[in-house]
Amino acid sequence: MRPTLQELGIDQLSSAERLRLIGDIWDSLSPLTETEVPTSHLEELDHRLDDANASPETSRPWNEVRSKLWGEE
């Protein structure tokens, strides 16, 4: 049986702490997993990059977004 959020104490973490934990878990999996990215995902990424390049004034730098997500403002 897998542990619950409550058993692990994750339900007691702040949103910023949970986001950091998600990042840590993701980073721990990245080198271990090799999954193929679906073509539809690649096409969507291309579409979003085209939109971003067409309207760069609507974008925000990653460090600004990351700081807001991680509660570092």
Side-chain angles (χ1 to χ4, degrees):
M1 185 169 149
R2 68 183 184 108
T4 66
L5 296 176
Q6 294 78 16
E7 289 171 342
L8 295 172
I10 295 171
D11 62 320
Q12 301 298 312
L13 299 175
S14 69
S15 295
E17 291 168 326
R18 289 180 191 204
L19 284 170
R20 281 190 211 101
L21 180 58
I22 290 168
D24 291 343
I25 292 170
W26 182 263
D27 290 344
S28 75
L29 294 175
S30 295
L32 303 176
T33 58
E34 290 188 27
T35 57
E36 188 172 322
V37 178
T39 302
S40 61
H41 292 197
L42 295 172
E43 290 169 353
E44 180 63 22
L45 179 58
D46 286 339
H47 174 74
R48 291 181 184 203
L49 287 171
D50 289 344
D51 285 350
N53 289 330
S55 302
E57 69 282 356
T58 63
S59 300
R60 294 168 71 187
W62 167 241
N63 61 340
E64 182 181 319
V65 174
R66 186 190 69 228
S67 292
K68 184 170 182 153
L69 287 173
W70 268 234
E72 299 170 352
E73 293 185 292

